[in-house]
Amino acid sequence: MSAILYLYALVDGEPSGPLGEGIAGEPLRLLPRGGISAVTGDLPARPNPDRETLEQQDAVVRRLAERFGAILPARFGEAFANEAALASRLDPREREIAEALALVRGCVQMTLRVFGEPEPAPEPDTAGGPGTRHLAARRRQREWAHSLPEIDPLRAALHPLLRAERIERHGAPGPLVGTAYHLIPRAQAGAYLEVLESARGRIGGRRVAATGPWPPYAFAPEPAP
Amino acid sequence: MSEPLELLERSDTSLLDTVDNLLNKGLVLTGEVVIGLAGVDLIYLRLSALLCAADRVLPRKAEE
C-alpha cells in the first residue's frame, strides 16, 4: 500500500493560526505553488466516504476556512501520488484557480433549499426546422436545470447581498424543488437571514430552508463537462 | 396557507449539507475523484439523505 498526498483545499496568503490535523490525525502541510498553496495531508490510502470521515473532513475544511481569507475546498477523495503529481494538475489551471480564490475572498456560502410544487417547465418552441428545434430544446433544458423561478421574488430581495449565485433544480420527484447556493460577504450572514425572514411571504405556498454559513464549496472550479 | 420559514444556522448536524458539500461540490482537479466516488452506493446515500432531510427539516404541520 503506497501513501498518498490528500488534498483538503487550495488557499492563498498566510494562515492566521495553526493548520492543525487532518482526517486521520495527520499534521496538515501547506505546499506553495506560484501564488497558490495547497493544504494537504499524508494518508496511507484514499479514505472511504463513510459518514464519520465525511464529518471529519467537513470539520477540517471549516477550521481552515477560518484560517485563510480565501479558500477553495476540495471535493472528498482528491488524492495524488506525490507533490509532482499535484503540481502537474495545478499548474495548467493556475489562472482559473486564482480567479476563483479572488471571487470567494472574505465570503461564505449560504445554501437555500426550496420545497413545494415546482413550476411547469417552459413550453417547447415550434418555430424553425427539426434541427433548430432540437438545439433550442437542449439549450432550454440546460437553462431550466439552473433556474428557480419559484423563488424569483426572494432572489430579487437577496440580490444586493450576493457576490455570486449557483442554482440547481433537483429534477427528481419529491418535495425538494431545487437549491440556490449563494456567495455572500462573511459579515452579511445575519443580514441574509433577516432578508429571507422578511421576504418569505413573497413566494406563495412554497417553503425555503437556509443553512450556513459554509465554506464556499459550490464556488470551487470543477472540470469542464 | 403560510408556512413558517425554517432557518437553520450553522447546522453542524446536517448530514445532508455535509454530503452535498463534500461529495457533490468542491474543487475537482482530477477526473479520478469523480469516477472513484460516483458509485451506486454513494448516489443512493445522497438521494436518501436529501429525501430524509426534506422531511426532517420541514415537518408537514398541515397534515398533523
Side-chain angles (χ1 to χ4, degrees), chain A residues 185-225:
Chain A
R186 188 184 294 267
Q188 298 290 342
Y192 180 94
L193 295 176
E194 278 171 26
V195 171
L196 264 191
E197 180 72 43
S198 68
R200 72 184 185 193
R202 300 190 204 164
I203 54 167
R206 296 187 183 97
R207 298 158 294 171
V208 291
T211 63
W214 304 103
Y217 279 97
F219 299 91
E222 295 186 36

mmCIF file of all heavy atoms in Angstrom, chain A residues 185-225:
data_model
loop_
_atom_site.group_PDB
_atom_site.id
_atom_site.type_symbol
_atom_site.label_atom_id
_atom_site.label_comp_id
_atom_site.label_asym_id
_atom_site.label_seq_id
_atom_site.Cartn_x
_atom_site.Cartn_y
_atom_site.Cartn_z
ATOM 1 N N PRO A 185 -20.606 38.107 1.438
ATOM 2 C CA PRO A 185 -19.528 38.501 2.342
ATOM 3 C C PRO A 185 -19.783 37.915 3.737
ATOM 4 O O PRO A 185 -20.920 37.868 4.200
ATOM 5 C CB PRO A 185 -19.625 40.030 2.364
ATOM 6 C CG PRO A 185 -20.285 40.384 1.073
ATOM 7 C CD PRO A 185 -21.238 39.261 0.783
ATOM 8 N N ARG A 186 -18.713 37.470 4.356
ATOM 9 C CA ARG A 186 -18.800 36.789 5.647
ATOM 10 C C ARG A 186 -19.647 37.583 6.666
ATOM 11 O O ARG A 186 -20.453 37.012 7.406
ATOM 12 C CB ARG A 186 -17.382 36.610 6.190
ATOM 13 C CG ARG A 186 -17.236 35.761 7.412
ATOM 14 C CD ARG A 186 -15.783 35.769 7.866
ATOM 15 N NE ARG A 186 -14.904 35.115 6.910
ATOM 16 C CZ ARG A 186 -14.559 33.829 6.979
ATOM 17 N NH1 ARG A 186 -14.983 33.093 7.958
ATOM 18 N NH2 ARG A 186 -13.769 33.303 6.071
ATOM 19 N N ALA A 187 -19.485 38.903 6.661
ATOM 20 C CA ALA A 187 -20.168 39.726 7.666
ATOM 21 C C ALA A 187 -21.667 39.868 7.380
ATOM 22 O O ALA A 187 -22.394 40.414 8.203
ATOM 23 C CB ALA A 187 -19.524 41.107 7.722
ATOM 24 N N GLN A 188 -22.120 39.378 6.208
ATOM 25 C CA GLN A 188 -23.522 39.591 5.825
ATOM 26 C C GLN A 188 -24.424 38.402 6.123
ATOM 27 O O GLN A 188 -25.596 38.402 5.709
ATOM 28 C CB GLN A 188 -23.604 39.917 4.324
ATOM 29 C CG GLN A 188 -22.889 41.175 3.911
ATOM 30 C CD GLN A 188 -23.585 42.419 4.424
ATOM 31 O OE1 GLN A 188 -24.753 42.376 4.802
ATOM 32 N NE2 GLN A 188 -22.870 43.527 4.477
ATOM 33 N N ALA A 189 -23.898 37.376 6.804
ATOM 34 C CA ALA A 189 -24.718 36.178 7.039
ATOM 35 C C ALA A 189 -25.987 36.531 7.832
ATOM 36 O O ALA A 189 -27.078 36.035 7.533
ATOM 37 C CB ALA A 189 -23.906 35.102 7.750
ATOM 38 N N GLY A 190 -25.852 37.388 8.833
ATOM 39 C CA GLY A 190 -27.012 37.788 9.626
ATOM 40 C C GLY A 190 -28.013 38.565 8.790
ATOM 41 O O GLY A 190 -29.230 38.316 8.845
ATOM 42 N N ALA A 191 -27.508 39.480 7.971
ATOM 43 C CA ALA A 191 -28.380 40.280 7.100
ATOM 44 C C ALA A 191 -29.103 39.386 6.105
ATOM 45 O O ALA A 191 -30.288 39.595 5.806
ATOM 46 C CB ALA A 191 -27.555 41.336 6.360
ATOM 47 N N TYR A 192 -28.407 38.371 5.606
ATOM 48 C CA TYR A 192 -29.006 37.424 4.660
ATOM 49 C C TYR A 192 -30.231 36.752 5.281
ATOM 50 O O TYR A 192 -31.303 36.684 4.680
ATOM 51 C CB TYR A 192 -27.941 36.394 4.271
ATOM 52 C CG TYR A 192 -28.381 35.325 3.300
ATOM 53 C CD1 TYR A 192 -28.172 35.465 1.929
ATOM 54 C CD2 TYR A 192 -28.983 34.159 3.748
ATOM 55 C CE1 TYR A 192 -28.558 34.483 1.044
ATOM 56 C CE2 TYR A 192 -29.380 33.168 2.864
ATOM 57 C CZ TYR A 192 -29.155 33.332 1.513
ATOM 58 O OH TYR A 192 -29.552 32.357 0.633
ATOM 59 N N LEU A 193 -30.066 36.278 6.507
ATOM 60 C CA LEU A 193 -31.171 35.596 7.175
ATOM 61 C C LEU A 193 -32.318 36.566 7.472
ATOM 62 O O LEU A 193 -33.491 36.194 7.387
ATOM 63 C CB LEU A 193 -30.679 34.923 8.462
ATOM 64 C CG LEU A 193 -29.669 33.790 8.239
ATOM 65 C CD1 LEU A 193 -29.149 33.251 9.570
ATOM 66 C CD2 LEU A 193 -30.279 32.661 7.425
ATOM 67 N N GLU A 194 -31.990 37.811 7.787
ATOM 68 C CA GLU A 194 -33.041 38.806 8.046
ATOM 69 C C GLU A 194 -33.851 39.096 6.783
ATOM 70 O O GLU A 194 -35.077 39.209 6.831
ATOM 71 C CB GLU A 194 -32.418 40.106 8.563
ATOM 72 C CG GLU A 194 -32.120 40.078 10.051
ATOM 73 C CD GLU A 194 -31.306 41.286 10.495
ATOM 74 O OE1 GLU A 194 -31.388 42.335 9.813
ATOM 75 O OE2 GLU A 194 -30.594 41.162 11.503
ATOM 76 N N VAL A 195 -33.150 39.222 5.649
ATOM 77 C CA VAL A 195 -33.853 39.468 4.391
ATOM 78 C C VAL A 195 -34.759 38.286 4.060
ATOM 79 O O VAL A 195 -35.917 38.453 3.659
ATOM 80 C CB VAL A 195 -32.863 39.738 3.240
ATOM 81 C CG1 VAL A 195 -33.578 39.784 1.894
ATOM 82 C CG2 VAL A 195 -32.109 41.038 3.479
ATOM 83 N N LEU A 196 -34.237 37.071 4.247
ATOM 84 C CA LEU A 196 -35.052 35.881 3.991
ATOM 85 C C LEU A 196 -36.314 35.917 4.839
ATOM 86 O O LEU A 196 -37.419 35.648 4.352
ATOM 87 C CB LEU A 196 -34.266 34.627 4.379
ATOM 88 C CG LEU A 196 -33.497 33.870 3.332
ATOM 89 C CD1 LEU A 196 -33.039 32.555 3.917
ATOM 90 C CD2 LEU A 196 -34.353 33.623 2.106
ATOM 91 N N GLU A 197 -36.147 36.232 6.097
ATOM 92 C CA GLU A 197 -37.272 36.262 7.027
ATOM 93 C C GLU A 197 -38.338 37.262 6.559
ATOM 94 O O GLU A 197 -39.531 36.966 6.548
ATOM 95 C CB GLU A 197 -36.748 36.642 8.420
ATOM 96 C CG GLU A 197 -37.794 36.728 9.505
ATOM 97 C CD GLU A 197 -38.295 35.361 9.903
ATOM 98 O OE1 GLU A 197 -37.464 34.444 10.043
ATOM 99 O OE2 GLU A 197 -39.518 35.217 10.060
ATOM 100 N N SER A 198 -37.876 38.436 6.125
ATOM 101 C CA SER A 198 -38.837 39.479 5.765
ATOM 102 C C SER A 198 -39.469 39.230 4.407
ATOM 103 O O SER A 198 -40.553 39.734 4.128
ATOM 104 C CB SER A 198 -38.157 40.854 5.801
ATOM 105 O OG SER A 198 -37.216 40.937 4.759
ATOM 106 N N ALA A 199 -38.799 38.446 3.540
ATOM 107 C CA ALA A 199 -39.313 38.246 2.183
ATOM 108 C C ALA A 199 -39.998 36.894 2.027
ATOM 109 O O ALA A 199 -40.387 36.526 0.920
ATOM 110 C CB ALA A 199 -38.178 38.382 1.169
ATOM 111 N N ARG A 200 -40.172 36.177 3.126
ATOM 112 C CA ARG A 200 -40.654 34.794 3.000
ATOM 113 C C ARG A 200 -42.069 34.710 2.450
ATOM 114 O O ARG A 200 -42.460 33.706 1.862
ATOM 115 C CB ARG A 200 -40.595 34.107 4.351
ATOM 116 C CG ARG A 200 -41.657 34.611 5.325
ATOM 117 C CD ARG A 200 -41.496 33.970 6.663
ATOM 118 N NE ARG A 200 -42.564 34.357 7.567
ATOM 119 C CZ ARG A 200 -42.541 34.151 8.865
ATOM 120 N NH1 ARG A 200 -41.497 33.572 9.410
ATOM 121 N NH2 ARG A 200 -43.550 34.519 9.621
ATOM 122 N N GLY A 201 -42.863 35.768 2.635
ATOM 123 C CA GLY A 201 -44.246 35.735 2.184
ATOM 124 C C GLY A 201 -44.397 35.918 0.681
ATOM 125 O O GLY A 201 -45.496 35.811 0.153
ATOM 126 N N ARG A 202 -43.302 36.178 -0.023
ATOM 127 C CA ARG A 202 -43.407 36.549 -1.443
ATOM 128 C C ARG A 202 -43.325 35.366 -2.400
ATOM 129 O O ARG A 202 -43.286 35.577 -3.603
ATOM 130 C CB ARG A 202 -42.278 37.534 -1.805
ATOM 131 C CG ARG A 202 -42.310 38.817 -0.993
ATOM 132 C CD ARG A 202 -41.342 39.808 -1.578
ATOM 133 N NE ARG A 202 -40.921 40.784 -0.576
ATOM 134 C CZ ARG A 202 -39.859 41.570 -0.715
ATOM 135 N NH1 ARG A 202 -39.113 41.468 -1.800
ATOM 136 N NH2 ARG A 202 -39.524 42.430 0.216
ATOM 137 N N ILE A 203 -43.253 34.155 -1.883
ATOM 138 C CA ILE A 203 -43.080 33.027 -2.808
ATOM 139 C C ILE A 203 -44.241 32.050 -2.716
ATOM 140 O O ILE A 203 -44.082 30.843 -2.861
ATOM 141 C CB ILE A 203 -41.740 32.303 -2.574
ATOM 142 C CG1 ILE A 203 -41.584 31.879 -1.108
ATOM 143 C CG2 ILE A 203 -40.575 33.172 -3.007
ATOM 144 C CD1 ILE A 203 -40.448 30.900 -0.886
ATOM 145 N N GLY A 204 -45.425 32.565 -2.483
ATOM 146 C CA GLY A 204 -46.608 31.723 -2.455
ATOM 147 C C GLY A 204 -46.535 30.707 -1.325
ATOM 148 O O GLY A 204 -46.035 31.000 -0.253
ATOM 149 N N GLY A 205 -47.021 29.507 -1.580
ATOM 150 C CA GLY A 205 -47.059 28.493 -0.531
ATOM 151 C C GLY A 205 -45.769 27.698 -0.414
ATOM 152 O O GLY A 205 -45.689 26.764 0.359
ATOM 153 N N ARG A 206 -44.759 28.058 -1.203
ATOM 154 C CA ARG A 206 -43.523 27.271 -1.167
ATOM 155 C C ARG A 206 -42.711 27.620 0.067
ATOM 156 O O ARG A 206 -42.851 28.684 0.648
ATOM 157 C CB ARG A 206 -42.710 27.510 -2.433
ATOM 158 C CG ARG A 206 -43.456 27.028 -3.663
ATOM 159 C CD ARG A 206 -42.610 27.092 -4.899
ATOM 160 N NE ARG A 206 -43.421 26.670 -6.039
ATOM 161 C CZ ARG A 206 -44.043 27.513 -6.855
ATOM 162 N NH1 ARG A 206 -43.920 28.808 -6.689
ATOM 163 N NH2 ARG A 206 -44.776 27.055 -7.840
ATOM 164 N N ARG A 207 -41.860 26.683 0.449
ATOM 165 C CA ARG A 207 -41.076 26.870 1.676
ATOM 166 C C ARG A 207 -39.589 26.856 1.358
ATOM 167 O O ARG A 207 -39.170 26.202 0.406
ATOM 168 C CB ARG A 207 -41.399 25.734 2.661
ATOM 169 C CG ARG A 207 -42.850 25.728 3.079
ATOM 170 C CD ARG A 207 -43.265 24.373 3.571
ATOM 171 N NE ARG A 207 -43.240 23.370 2.491
ATOM 172 C CZ ARG A 207 -43.391 22.079 2.682
ATOM 173 N NH1 ARG A 207 -43.552 21.598 3.887
ATOM 174 N NH2 ARG A 207 -43.365 21.241 1.670
ATOM 175 N N VAL A 208 -38.828 27.567 2.133
ATOM 176 C CA VAL A 208 -37.381 27.571 1.934
ATOM 177 C C VAL A 208 -36.697 27.248 3.253
ATOM 178 O O VAL A 208 -37.211 27.549 4.330
ATOM 179 C CB VAL A 208 -36.866 28.935 1.424
ATOM 180 C CG1 VAL A 208 -37.321 29.187 0.010
ATOM 181 C CG2 VAL A 208 -37.287 30.058 2.338
ATOM 182 N N ALA A 209 -35.559 26.591 3.154
ATOM 183 C CA ALA A 209 -34.729 26.314 4.327
ATOM 184 C C ALA A 209 -33.317 26.770 4.014
ATOM 185 O O ALA A 209 -32.726 26.352 3.016
ATOM 186 C CB ALA A 209 -34.738 24.825 4.654
ATOM 187 N N ALA A 210 -32.785 27.644 4.843
ATOM 188 C CA ALA A 210 -31.425 28.148 4.625
ATOM 189 C C ALA A 210 -30.487 27.502 5.631
ATOM 190 O O ALA A 210 -30.820 27.361 6.803
ATOM 191 C CB ALA A 210 -31.387 29.660 4.788
ATOM 192 N N THR A 211 -29.314 27.090 5.166
ATOM 193 C CA THR A 211 -28.267 26.641 6.087
ATOM 194 C C THR A 211 -26.984 27.395 5.758
ATOM 195 O O THR A 211 -26.777 27.862 4.651
ATOM 196 C CB THR A 211 -27.996 25.126 6.003
ATOM 197 O OG1 THR A 211 -27.522 24.812 4.707
ATOM 198 C CG2 THR A 211 -29.251 24.330 6.290
ATOM 199 N N GLY A 212 -26.149 27.488 6.747
ATOM 200 C CA GLY A 212 -24.880 28.177 6.574
ATOM 201 C C GLY A 212 -24.583 29.023 7.792
ATOM 202 O O GLY A 212 -25.345 28.988 8.751
ATOM 203 N N PRO A 213 -23.488 29.763 7.760
ATOM 204 C CA PRO A 213 -22.539 29.881 6.654
ATOM 205 C C PRO A 213 -21.622 28.658 6.519
ATOM 206 O O PRO A 213 -21.218 28.067 7.515
ATOM 207 C CB PRO A 213 -21.731 31.118 7.039
ATOM 208 C CG PRO A 213 -21.835 31.223 8.521
ATOM 209 C CD PRO A 213 -23.158 30.639 8.899
ATOM 210 N N TRP A 214 -21.335 28.311 5.256
ATOM 211 C CA TRP A 214 -20.433 27.210 4.910
ATOM 212 C C TRP A 214 -19.211 27.756 4.174
ATOM 213 O O TRP A 214 -19.289 28.820 3.563
ATOM 214 C CB TRP A 214 -21.129 26.224 3.960
ATOM 215 C CG TRP A 214 -22.403 25.663 4.455
ATOM 216 C CD1 TRP A 214 -23.669 26.023 4.074
ATOM 217 C CD2 TRP A 214 -22.562 24.629 5.424
ATOM 218 N NE1 TRP A 214 -24.587 25.284 4.752
ATOM 219 C CE2 TRP A 214 -23.945 24.416 5.575
ATOM 220 C CE3 TRP A 214 -21.674 23.857 6.175
ATOM 221 C CZ2 TRP A 214 -24.461 23.470 6.456
ATOM 222 C CZ3 TRP A 214 -22.193 22.916 7.037
ATOM 223 C CH2 TRP A 214 -23.564 22.735 7.180
ATOM 224 N N PRO A 215 -18.134 26.969 4.165
ATOM 225 C CA PRO A 215 -17.052 27.286 3.224
ATOM 226 C C PRO A 215 -17.623 27.246 1.792
ATOM 227 O O PRO A 215 -18.597 26.526 1.548
ATOM 228 C CB PRO A 215 -16.036 26.166 3.440
ATOM 229 C CG PRO A 215 -16.340 25.621 4.799
ATOM 230 C CD PRO A 215 -17.816 25.791 4.988
ATOM 231 N N PRO A 216 -17.035 27.977 0.854
ATOM 232 C CA PRO A 216 -17.652 28.134 -0.472
ATOM 233 C C PRO A 216 -17.467 26.926 -1.393
ATOM 234 O O PRO A 216 -16.898 27.038 -2.474
ATOM 235 C CB PRO A 216 -16.950 29.372 -1.031
ATOM 236 C CG PRO A 216 -15.622 29.388 -0.362
ATOM 237 C CD PRO A 216 -15.830 28.819 1.007
ATOM 238 N N TYR A 217 -17.991 25.769 -0.975
ATOM 239 C CA TYR A 217 -17.843 24.538 -1.760
ATOM 240 C C TYR A 217 -18.393 24.687 -3.177
ATOM 241 O O TYR A 217 -17.797 24.216 -4.144
ATOM 242 C CB TYR A 217 -18.603 23.397 -1.088
ATOM 243 C CG TYR A 217 -17.876 22.736 0.043
ATOM 244 C CD1 TYR A 217 -18.118 23.085 1.360
ATOM 245 C CD2 TYR A 217 -16.960 21.723 -0.212
ATOM 246 C CE1 TYR A 217 -17.461 22.456 2.407
ATOM 247 C CE2 TYR A 217 -16.299 21.087 0.823
ATOM 248 C CZ TYR A 217 -16.550 21.454 2.131
ATOM 249 O OH TYR A 217 -15.906 20.842 3.154
ATOM 250 N N ALA A 218 -19.552 25.329 -3.291
ATOM 251 C CA ALA A 218 -20.235 25.359 -4.591
ATOM 252 C C ALA A 218 -19.582 26.338 -5.563
ATOM 253 O O ALA A 218 -19.996 26.424 -6.713
ATOM 254 C CB ALA A 218 -21.712 25.706 -4.408
ATOM 255 N N PHE A 219 -18.562 27.062 -5.109
ATOM 256 C CA PHE A 219 -17.931 28.058 -5.975
ATOM 257 C C PHE A 219 -16.484 27.687 -6.303
ATOM 258 O O PHE A 219 -15.700 28.522 -6.731
ATOM 259 C CB PHE A 219 -18.044 29.444 -5.333
ATOM 260 C CG PHE A 219 -19.483 29.826 -5.147
ATOM 261 C CD1 PHE A 219 -20.159 29.533 -3.975
ATOM 262 C CD2 PHE A 219 -20.178 30.404 -6.190
ATOM 263 C CE1 PHE A 219 -21.504 29.836 -3.828
ATOM 264 C CE2 PHE A 219 -21.524 30.714 -6.059
ATOM 265 C CZ PHE A 219 -22.187 30.431 -4.869
ATOM 266 N N ALA A 220 -16.144 26.434 -6.086
ATOM 267 C CA ALA A 220 -14.821 25.925 -6.442
ATOM 268 C C ALA A 220 -14.885 25.351 -7.853
ATOM 269 O O ALA A 220 -15.889 24.745 -8.232
ATOM 270 C CB ALA A 220 -14.385 24.854 -5.445
ATOM 271 N N PRO A 221 -13.845 25.544 -8.661
ATOM 272 C CA PRO A 221 -13.886 25.075 -10.051
ATOM 273 C C PRO A 221 -13.997 23.554 -10.155
ATOM 274 O O PRO A 221 -13.442 22.818 -9.343
ATOM 275 C CB PRO A 221 -12.544 25.533 -10.622
ATOM 276 C CG PRO A 221 -12.019 26.550 -9.685
ATOM 277 C CD PRO A 221 -12.596 26.242 -8.344
ATOM 278 N N GLU A 222 -14.729 23.124 -11.164
ATOM 279 C CA GLU A 222 -14.837 21.707 -11.495
ATOM 280 C C GLU A 222 -14.269 21.516 -12.892
ATOM 281 O O GLU A 222 -14.092 22.483 -13.626
ATOM 282 C CB GLU A 222 -16.307 21.276 -11.462
ATOM 283 C CG GLU A 222 -16.897 21.362 -10.076
ATOM 284 C CD GLU A 222 -18.305 20.795 -10.040
ATOM 285 O OE1 GLU A 222 -18.556 19.811 -10.743
ATOM 286 O OE2 GLU A 222 -19.127 21.347 -9.313
ATOM 287 N N PRO A 223 -14.003 20.274 -13.278
ATOM 288 C CA PRO A 223 -13.517 20.077 -14.646
ATOM 289 C C PRO A 223 -14.590 20.450 -15.653
ATOM 290 O O PRO A 223 -15.779 20.338 -15.354
ATOM 291 C CB PRO A 223 -13.202 18.584 -14.713
ATOM 292 C CG PRO A 223 -13.765 17.968 -13.500
ATOM 293 C CD PRO A 223 -14.147 19.033 -12.539
ATOM 294 N N ALA A 224 -14.191 20.915 -16.829
ATOM 295 C CA ALA A 224 -15.166 21.242 -17.866
ATOM 296 C C ALA A 224 -15.928 19.974 -18.242
ATOM 297 O O ALA A 224 -15.334 18.901 -18.314
ATOM 298 C CB ALA A 224 -14.440 21.808 -19.084
ATOM 299 N N PRO A 225 -17.250 20.084 -18.484
ATOM 300 C CA PRO A 225 -18.043 18.898 -18.789
ATOM 301 C C PRO A 225 -17.678 18.294 -20.142
ATOM 302 O O PRO A 225 -17.189 18.996 -21.000
ATOM 303 C CB PRO A 225 -19.480 19.425 -18.804
ATOM 304 C CG PRO A 225 -19.382 20.898 -18.947
ATOM 305 C CD PRO A 225 -18.031 21.314 -18.452
#
